[in-house]
Amino acid sequence: MDPVPLALPHSRVPLTAGWAAASALALAVVALAASPTVLGFEGGAVVAGAFAPFCHQIAERSPHLHGVPFALCHRCTGIVAGLALGLLVGPLAPRLLARLGAAHPLAVLAAAAVPTTADWLLGVAGVLANTGASRLGTGAFFGVAAGLLLAAAFCAPRRVLQPTP
């Protein structure tokens, strides 16, 4: 898909329809995850049911607003919020996007998963109790990395391969 001839101020990164759609979807997921706090019992139960295949939704491990838990746990909320943030700020950092575009995406994701994995392992081993803040923060770190990778995939200039004669 060709880039839309639009770039953010102070950026030479073209914004594409794919980037816009991915950003809007990520923001919608964040809003949907928080929506049980305002939808009431029945609406919140429907939303929570939609997220149930992806998250354990343990109430004690979930963010709350007005005493009502989100449809995602702290870590999953951090991941989707970080994903949205990474997608949105990615075009503001064209050099970072170029480096990420040149990197191996799985290596970047594996490195970004290290803090989340360490937080989980230290908690399971009883060495360090993880908290809602540590789960949210390490999840957001991973989500931002994933969002930046997606922004790089959608917005980085494409190299055109020339056929060899």
Side-chain angles (χ1 to χ4, degrees):
M1 181 171 279
D2 290 308
V4 174
L6 173 69
L8 295 174
H10 310 293
S11 172
R12 294 186 188 144
V13 176
L15 303 180
T16 64
W19 169 83
S23 298
L25 181 61
L27 287 171
V29 170
V30 173
L32 198 56
S35 70
T37 63
V38 294
L39 289 178
F41 181 76
E42 289 179 13
V46 169
V47 171
F51 281 105
F54 309 103
C55 178
H56 60 69
Q57 300 174 325
I58 297 171
E60 300 82 44
R61 292 186 173 199
S62 298
H64 286 68
L65 187 62
H66 306 297
V68 180
F70 281 31
L72 293 173
C73 69
H74 284 105
R75 189 168 284 125
C76 292
T77 299
I79 291 170
V80 297
L83 180 73
L85 180 64
L87 273 162
L88 291 171
V89 302
L92 296 174
R95 288 186 182 144
L96 178 60
L97 288 188
R99 285 182 165 222
L100 284 173
H104 194 286
L106 291 179
V108 172
L109 286 178
V114 169
T116 301
T117 305
D119 184 52
W120 177 77
L121 283 173
L122 291 172
V124 168
V127 174
L128 184 67
N130 54 29
T131 64
S134 71
R135 292 182 197 113
L136 188 70
T138 58
F141 183 80
F142 178 80
V144 166
L148 288 170
L149 282 170
L150 282 174
F154 284 122
C155 298
R158 303 282 187 254
R159 287 184 284 163
V160 178
L161 297 176
Q162 299 296 328
T164 55

